[in-house]
Amino acid sequence: MSSLIPGQLTIIAPGVWRVLAQNPGMMTGPGTNSYLLATDDGLILLDPGPSDERHAAQLQAGAESIGLPITQIVVTHTHRDHSPCAALFPSARRLGPLPPDDGLQDESWQPDQILKDGDTLPLAQGDTLRVIATPGHVSNHFCYLIEGTGLLFSGDHLIQGSTVVIAPPSGSMGAYLDSLRRLQSEPVRLMAPGHGDLIREPMDYIAHTIAHRLRREEKVLRSLSLHPGRPVSDLVASVYDDVPVFLHGVASMSLLAHLIKLEQEHRAACDADERWSLVVPG
């Protein structure tokens, strides 16, 4: 049975708790997961979630029941369902990436410390939280690994029960696949996603996700072969024929990301009218 109960403080590992925000929806699933991580003198709030005073109050109540103050805020990325609630904790120090300028980000997020790949943050019991740069879903995406336990906070790089949207220009399908392959070399034993419940077989899940994306790429190539010189809006129905029509608008973003990857690999080309075709070798 799922333990995803909105607003409830749920322990998921020693020194790690989850609070589910009350923002369910088509893009957020059951809602955004916020996590509290114990340090020697306080709590790191990882992905504070949407700007919601009720959620902030539940996070604060959770911290009080743990008996530690929220002293730091860390984000996996700056989409508006992940970082805006940081503004409701003005005394906490903010750490994370800068937001890209694509019109889809939380403009209120400005870190006190810009994190980079390989940085580490101290946790309780001498453990560390390591930053892993995982661009793809968005260019500024980070995952965070608790090195002693192998618990990975995957944000929107991998979520439970669904694939994520890759929306250009800040999203990149090529970077996404590269980031997934990078995680295959990390000692990940449990995954705590930005949406959905814990992923208990993370390496299988990563491999399945890579295979799924490559199968979708094959469908893109097949559709270009059958329907050359078509815009994304014409291609989406055949490439995503296994997805409900009401989701085709969202699927078009990931389709464009696939096409841009193929263009970068000189396997597809786009003309001045944004019509896509295969590149014929030779």
Side-chain angles (χ1 to χ4, degrees):
M1 179 181 293
S2 173
S3 58
L4 288 168
I5 301 172
Q8 176 176 292
L9 182 71
T10 302
I11 188 164
I12 63 167
V16 181
W17 299 262
R18 179 181 62 207
V19 179
L20 173 63
Q22 298 178 63
N23 63 329
M26 184 176 73
M27 301 297 289
T28 57
T32 302
N33 291 323
S34 297
Y35 297 96
L36 295 168
L37 289 67
T39 71
D40 286 339
D41 56 4
L43 293 168
I44 294 173
L45 170 54
L46 192 152
D47 277 355
S51 182
D52 181 347
E53 292 187 359
R54 177 174 51 175
H55 183 53
Q58 290 164 343
L59 287 166
Q60 184 59 43
E64 290 171 1
S65 70
I66 294 166
L68 291 169
I70 295 171
T71 57
Q72 300 176 79
I73 295 176
V74 168
V75 300
T76 58
H77 62 299
T78 53
H79 279 156
R80 293 168 185 154
D81 57 327
H82 283 262
S83 59
C85 199
L88 301 180
F89 296 89
S91 63
R93 190 163 182 263
R94 301 182 187 188
L95 303 91
L98 289 168
D101 183 16
D102 66 356
L104 301 173
Q105 308 300 317
D106 167 24
E107 294 86 0
S108 72
W109 172 263
Q110 288 296 322
D112 299 303
Q113 178 182 339
I114 299 172
L115 295 177
K116 62 182 185 302
D117 185 55
D119 283 348
T120 58
L121 303 174
L123 298 175
Q125 308 296 320
D127 215 334
T128 55
L129 185 70
R130 176 161 56 91
V131 180
I132 303 175
T134 49
H137 173 65
V138 64
S139 61
N140 70 341
H141 196 284
F142 289 149
C143 292
Y144 296 89
L145 180 69
I146 298 182
E147 298 202 273
T149 64
L151 173 58
L152 183 80
F153 299 95
S154 62
D156 279 4
H157 190 59
L158 289 151
I159 62 174
Q160 188 256 339
S162 180
T163 54
V164 298
V165 174
I166 312 296
S170 59
S172 164
M173 190 63 69
Y176 182 69
L177 286 165
D178 287 344
S179 295
L180 287 172
R181 293 182 182 112
R182 178 183 178 183
L183 287 183
Q184 290 181 308
S185 66
E186 295 286 352
V188 180
R189 294 192 284 274
L190 181 67
M191 200 179 299
H195 305 278
D197 217 336
L198 295 173
I199 297 170
R200 299 189 181 277
E201 300 293 338
M203 288 305 172
D204 290 346
Y205 204 82
I206 293 168
H208 170 81
T209 302
I210 292 171
H212 172 80
R213 294 291 186 175
L214 292 178
R215 285 195 301 271
R216 186 71 69 189
E217 182 176 283
E218 287 300 316
K219 291 186 74 170
V220 175
L221 291 167
R222 199 156 52 244
S223 184
L224 288 175
S225 177
L226 293 171
H227 310 290
R230 302 289 181 88
V232 168
S233 58
D234 286 357
L235 296 169
V236 67
S238 61
V239 175
Y240 287 88
D241 57 356
D242 55 335
V243 171
V245 172
F246 76 89
L247 292 175
H248 281 186
V250 174
S252 294
M253 299 183 219
S254 291
L255 172 55
L256 178 59
H258 275 292
L259 289 164
I260 291 171
K261 174 181 178 290
L262 293 170
E263 183 180 42
Q264 292 167 341
E265 296 168 350
H266 308 292
R267 295 198 284 165
C270 183
D271 66 17
D273 295 320
E274 298 186 353
R275 297 178 182 274
W276 291 87
S277 300
L278 288 177
V279 171
V280 179

